[in-house]
Amino acid sequence: MKNFLLITSIILISRISVIAQVEVELFEDQINHTINKNIYGHFAEHLGRCIYDGFYVGEDNTTIPHKNGVRLDVIEALRDLEIPVLRWPGGCFADTYHWKDGVGPKNKRPTIVNQWWGGVVEDNSFGTHDFLNMCEVLGAEPYLAANVGSGTVKELADWVQYVNHDGISPMAKWRKENGRDKPWNVKYWGVGNEMWGCGGNMTPEYYANLYKQYATFMVDWSNSAGLYRIASGASDNDYHWTEIMMRDIPKHLIEAIALHSYAVIDWNDKGSATAFNESQYFTTMERALNMETLVTKHSAIMDKYDPEKEIALFVDEWGGWYNVEEGTNPGFLYQQNTMRDAMIAGTTLNIFNNHADRVKMANLAQTINVLQAVLLTKEEKLVLTPTYHVMNMYKVHQDAKLIPVSLNNNTSYEMGGKSLPAVSVSASLNDKGEVHISLVNIHVTKSVKVDLLLTDLKAKSITGQILSSDHLQDHNTFDNPSKISQVSFSSFKKRKEKLEVSIPQASVIVLKIK
């Protein structure tokens, strides 16, 4: 007999006085895939105050506690978040970055003009050793994005040898001279970034040929090093790009293909991060929920050429993108983080979880002080954003077994003649036998009454956490850093095999059943 959970939700839909029913079945007898922990990855670009003044405050800083220049409060927060992988140094910056400028004595490193982000001059004081050593401290796998747009094949091949070679070689010798004896054994390598845009404005056919050249010289023919070579993938719904990558690149030269998609209201006017109305919120969520369509359609193209699903899909840039905060550098992309961002994070992560058969990594853009950041810093202060708390709640899904879900008759969140599903859900089973169910209600005004039927699930104990606030525009500030945080959730009643749950409007809930 199949195990399943049945969620029945009866609410009055906003603007339509109709009773709607939501049913969600969880099929424990159909578990086939693991939710790769790297779906909960992050992205750190040399952009604005993400690296400098975010992660890195310098080794000579005497006012902010640090380890080798990396803020200790950042280390603590990200270790608590259990971040599995961190992508660096870009982004668009990657295809202007020459890694050899960032190694060796810091007082001898050349400067660089960050032509993409604000035109600021950087001193290359944060380079390969700093990043890879920091990843070791964080317990995160590094993901290096290589320079294809303005670099060379030899430059990338040398970088692979520098960080990974454990024998006698010119680059290994140089690494040891620079203070690192053993290699870092970096697994994940992006072969360029956004080659359709800031990486070189290339056609997919041209880039596919260029990719093959770079990938060939990264490792030997058998790829005995076990590298994950990641092709620069499509933007949003450019399905032709994915088609060409899958058609033209042989399987022995590629392990993953990327996808970038942001929840943007309008690229010409992205709107305020905090002073937005419900219509703007609705449009943002429409864009965020479109990730389901994007992942489904790109995966279908990949299935044509790779039915065994040997090539992974990495959504290595995603998140909300708004206008910068007033008075900040437009090139620094600094924005606040509200409950709207929590809705984006919760629904998007549910989508990735449910596509665990193909999606093996995702990298939120970006970690600190840029776009949909999980951390904000100001001098000695640090703020955990609502997005941080969602990812902290969801970390229970990392490397757990995906429980397939079937959601029928989802109630609608409607506006302007458009309709969005109000409820989002994913579920997993960990190696302790615990089931975790993550639920999101994106509706602004209506709570959801849920009947959770525990038919074949032996629920000895049930606990929960919730993230919510009075207004979607609410956010944490340096003066009030704890306005929004995850708290215990107990708005449920157990009645035999049924659990009655109330999900407030605009909230994220994670239940643990064991």
Side-chain angles (χ1 to χ4, degrees):
M1 181 179 183
K2 72 180 180 183
N3 295 328
F4 68 93
L5 304 177
L6 181 63
I7 300 177
T8 303
S9 166
I10 300 176
I11 72 170
L12 286 177
I13 301 174
S14 178
R15 302 176 184 84
I16 305 177
S17 181
V18 176
I19 294 177
Q21 185 178 56
V22 178
E23 296 180 345
V24 179
E25 285 187 79
L26 282 72
F27 302 96
E28 288 188 87
D29 62 337
Q30 297 180 22
I31 292 176
N32 293 307
H33 304 287
T34 296
I35 298 172
N36 195 306
K37 65 180 180 180
N38 291 332
I39 283 174
Y40 293 84
H42 295 262
F43 174 29
E45 185 170 3
H46 283 246
L47 196 174
R49 294 172 50 245
C50 184
I51 300 298
Y52 299 105
D53 201 33
F55 281 98
Y56 188 74
V57 293
E59 297 175 23
D60 298 327
N61 193 295
T62 58
T63 60
I64 299 174
H66 63 86
K67 179 180 177 62
N68 298 324
V70 179
R71 294 179 64 125
L72 289 180
D73 54 0
V74 165
I75 291 173
E76 179 183 5
L78 295 181
R79 289 183 69 172
D80 287 346
L81 203 57
E82 298 178 12
I83 70 166
V85 63
L86 185 60
R87 179 174 179 247
W88 175 87
C92 292
F93 181 83
D95 284 290
T96 64
Y97 181 67
H98 300 282
W99 71 270
K100 293 180 181 180
D101 293 341
V103 300
K106 297 196 176 189
N107 60 0
K108 295 183 180 180
R109 297 180 187 179
T111 59
I112 182 175
V113 175
N114 193 332
Q115 67 186 67
W116 290 114
W117 306 118
V120 296
V121 176
E122 299 188 12
D123 63 4
N124 271 311
S125 59
F126 189 89
T128 296
H129 286 251
D130 306 275
F131 174 70
L132 296 180
N133 289 342
M134 181 181 73
C135 284
E136 287 185 333
V137 172
L138 293 174
E141 287 267 11
Y143 171 2
L144 295 177
N147 184 345
V148 171
S150 66
T152 65
V153 173
K154 184 179 187 301
E155 184 177 11
L156 175 51
D158 282 350
W159 204 10
V160 174
Q161 186 184 110
Y162 186 90
V163 303
N164 281 4
H165 196 261
D166 197 22
I168 299 173
S169 70
M171 290 298 104
K173 181 176 181 290
W174 191 24
R175 181 191 71 234
K176 293 175 182 178
E177 291 172 351
N178 288 331
R180 174 77 181 198
D181 183 50
K182 291 295 181 180
W184 291 277
N185 296 318
V186 176
K187 180 178 182 179
Y188 299 106
W189 294 83
V191 185
N193 169 78
E194 296 190 356
M195 306 312 293
W196 39 263
C198 61
N201 285 302
M202 301 175 186
T203 64
E205 292 83 1
Y206 179 84
Y207 170 65
N209 281 329
L210 195 61
Y211 171 91
K212 288 184 285 187
Q213 181 185 8
Y214 274 76
T216 297
F217 288 93
M218 291 175 68
V219 293
D220 62 36
W221 285 104
S222 66
N223 190 10
S224 60
L227 303 187
Y228 259 68
R229 295 160 297 182
I230 303 137
S232 172
S235 171
D236 294 303
N237 62 351
D238 186 353
Y239 303 116
H240 176 67
W241 187 280
T242 299
E243 185 88 34
I244 300 303
M245 295 302 105
M246 295 300 297
R247 186 195 72 186
D248 290 2
I249 300 174
K251 276 190 176 182
H252 71 276
L253 290 177
I254 184 172
E255 283 68 47
I257 185 170
L259 170 65
H260 291 181
S261 180
Y262 289 92
V264 181
I265 295 175
D266 184 335
W267 284 106
N268 294 317
D269 183 6
K270 305 176 188 71
S272 169
T274 56
F276 57 90
N277 57 35
E278 186 179 354
S279 177
Q280 291 171 314
Y281 166 70
F282 186 93
T283 301
T284 301
M285 294 312 303
E286 182 181 29
R287 303 286 191 269
L289 291 170
N290 188 53
M291 185 66 77
E292 172 68 33
T293 298
L294 296 177
V295 170
T296 299
K297 290 188 175 182
H298 283 290
S299 295
I301 294 169
M302 297 176 74
D303 287 345
K304 286 170 50 182
Y305 300 90
D306 176 36
E308 300 83 9
K309 300 184 186 294
E310 295 175 345
I311 300 172
L313 179 62
F314 286 5
V315 188
D316 59 18
E317 291 188 27
W318 68 273
W321 193 328
Y322 319 114
N323 293 334
V324 303
E325 295 302 309
E326 187 175 351
T328 65
N329 188 323
F332 282 11
L333 305 188
Y334 177 79
Q335 63 187 41
Q336 252 296 350
N337 197 286
T338 68
M339 278 301 301
R340 172 172 62 172
D341 296 286
M343 299 295 100
I344 294 173
T347 54
T348 304
L349 290 170
N350 282 340
I351 292 169
F352 294 155
N353 287 348
N354 289 327
H355 285 274
D357 61 329
R358 181 67 79 173
V359 179
K360 303 298 183 181
M361 183 188 293
N363 305 86
L364 176 67
Q366 292 185 14
T367 317
I368 310 175
N369 296 328
V370 172
L371 298 178
Q372 192 173 337
V374 293
L375 302 175
L376 303 177
T377 65
K378 181 181 180 182
E379 299 171 346
E380 77 286 354
K381 296 180 179 179
L382 179 140
V383 165
L384 309 179
T385 68
T387 299
Y388 177 97
H389 292 294
V390 172
M391 298 198 83
N392 197 28
M393 293 165 65
Y394 274 50
K395 68 185 179 184
V396 295
H397 292 303
Q398 292 187 23
D399 280 345
K401 299 294 184 181
L402 174 70
I403 302 176
V405 300
S406 175
L407 191 153
N408 302 305
N409 302 321
N410 197 350
T411 189
S412 297
Y413 172 35
E414 299 186 359
M415 175 170 282
K418 293 184 176 182
S419 176
L420 300 176
V423 177
S424 169
V425 61
S426 67
S428 67
L429 173 68
N430 66 18
D431 56 9
K432 298 178 182 179
E434 299 167 339
V435 170
H436 290 97
I437 306 169
S438 48
L439 295 158
V440 183
N441 174 18
I442 69 168
H443 208 295
V444 173
T445 59
K446 300 298 182 182
S447 63
V448 179
K449 299 297 182 182
V450 174
D451 286 340
L452 182 63
L453 303 184
L454 310 178
T455 307
D456 291 323
L457 191 66
K458 305 301 181 183
K460 295 181 180 179
S461 70
I462 304 170
T463 56
Q465 290 190 316
I466 186 170
L467 191 76
S468 63
S469 194
D470 293 337
H471 305 96
L472 279 168
Q473 295 80 3
D474 288 345
H475 55 279
N476 294 332
T477 67
F478 295 105
D479 294 327
N480 187 6
S482 301
K483 181 178 180 64
I484 301 173
S485 63
Q486 63 200 69
V487 296
S488 295
F489 176 73
S490 58
S491 295
F492 52 78
K493 294 181 180 179
K494 181 76 162 57
R495 299 183 186 276
K496 295 183 179 181
E497 294 183 342
K498 181 170 67 174
L499 186 69
E500 297 176 355
V501 185
S502 178
I503 306 178
Q505 64 272 20
S507 65
V508 180
I509 291 172
V510 175
L511 298 174
K512 179 169 73 173
I513 302 174
K514 62 178 183 178

